[in-house]
Amino acid sequence: DAGVTQSPTHLIKTRGQQVTLRCSPISGHKSVSWYQQVLGQGPQFIFQYYEKEERGRGNFPDRFSARQFPNYSSELNVNALLLGDSALYLCASSLGTANTEAFFGQGTRLTVV
Amino acid sequence: QKEVEQDPGPLSVPEGAIVSLNCTYSNSAFQYFMWYRQYSRKGPELLMYTYSSGNKEDGRFTAQVDKSSKYISLFIRDSQPSDSATYLCVLRGGNKLTFGTGTQLKVEL
């Protein structure tokens, strides 16, 4: 029984580059949310998608974008990378937008140099 | 002022101790209260959730919510070295989850 899977697990990018992170939710889950976790802090909400539509957005610049595909998988894109974008990016899936139980993947650790 | 305040620790206790982890919050709109556990370099995993004031027990874990004081707690009985992790209080209002900073717990033999 596969949980939430994220790829890649680790990534090193140079300032100014662009990055795409991927997430596959638990089978049957239609909602995917993205979070950024800086070392020593709790995760910060970036986006929520449900049925391919954006249902929520956190306080992040327009350099961050995301989309959800018909199979409910999702991609998070970050353009013009800054050193401060270095973090663990977490994807969480849940049955619906109002479902309390969110299940997290192991995350993608992004390092910007 | 942060929406959710959580003592970052670290908290070190001997094996078998009772652990108390706490968070305070400021927004009355939060309706669901959860505790997640996060091991180093892993994603958070859900331990417990509740939506009402009072206590909820699951094995060695008890979650307590006091909405009037905007205070939530997680108690761990008979703590084990495998409980060593960061514990995050998580509150939900609307569609997004709001996390505390996490309390790092170490249970020593």
Side-chain angles (χ1 to χ4, degrees), chain A residues 46-58:
Chain A
I46 308 175
F47 286 110
Q48 183 189 42
Y49 275 78
Y50 177 75
E51 293 281 14
K52 296 176 288 181
E53 290 188 0
E54 183 182 304
R55 292 299 188 96
R57 184 182 184 120

Side-chain angles (χ1 to χ4, degrees), chain B residues 61-79:
Chain B
F61 298 90
T62 299
Q64 187 175 81
V65 175
D66 182 347
K67 286 187 177 182
S68 62
S69 300
K70 297 186 178 65
Y71 191 86
I72 64 174
S73 300
L74 178 70
F75 298 96
I76 307 174
R77 291 183 299 279
D78 188 24
S79 56

Side-chain angles (χ1 to χ4, degrees), chain B residues 11-62:
Chain B
L11 180 62
S12 183
V13 301
E15 183 179 9
I18 296 175
V19 177
S20 172
L21 305 167
N22 310 294
C23 288
T24 59
Y25 64 96
S26 56
N27 190 343
S28 298
F30 289 127
Q31 298 175 327
Y32 292 91
F33 307 91
M34 293 155 277
W35 285 93
Y36 278 76
R37 177 175 62 194
Q38 187 174 25
Y39 292 110
S40 181
R41 300 187 175 277
K42 299 291 186 182
E45 58 176 324
L46 179 65
L47 282 176
M48 300 183 70
Y49 76 88
T50 184
Y51 57 88
S52 59
S53 286
N55 294 348
K56 182 177 181 180
E57 189 173 317
D58 184 1
R60 297 185 296 112
F61 298 90
T62 299

Side-chain angles (χ1 to χ4, degrees), chain A residues 21-103:
Chain A
L21 312 180
R22 296 176 176 82
C23 171
S24 292
I26 291 171
S27 177
H29 284 193
K30 298 182 178 182
S31 177
V32 170
S33 297
W34 288 95
Y35 292 82
Q36 180 196 65
Q37 186 176 25
V38 174
L39 195 63
Q41 300 292 320
Q44 297 291 314
F45 173 72
I46 308 175
F47 286 110
Q48 183 189 42
Y49 275 78
Y50 177 75
E51 293 281 14
K52 296 176 288 181
E53 290 188 0
E54 183 182 304
R55 292 299 188 96
R57 184 182 184 120
N59 188 24
F60 280 81
D62 292 344
R63 298 184 296 108
F64 289 77
S65 63
R67 55 179 174 169
Q68 187 178 31
F69 298 99
N71 65 354
Y72 304 111
S73 67
S74 178
E75 287 182 351
L76 175 70
N77 295 285
V78 187
N79 294 323
L81 285 166
L82 303 174
L83 295 179
D85 295 331
S86 296
L88 180 68
Y89 288 84
L90 294 162
C91 171
S93 83
S94 57
L95 283 171
T97 58
N99 191 278
T100 303
E101 294 187 75
F103 298 86

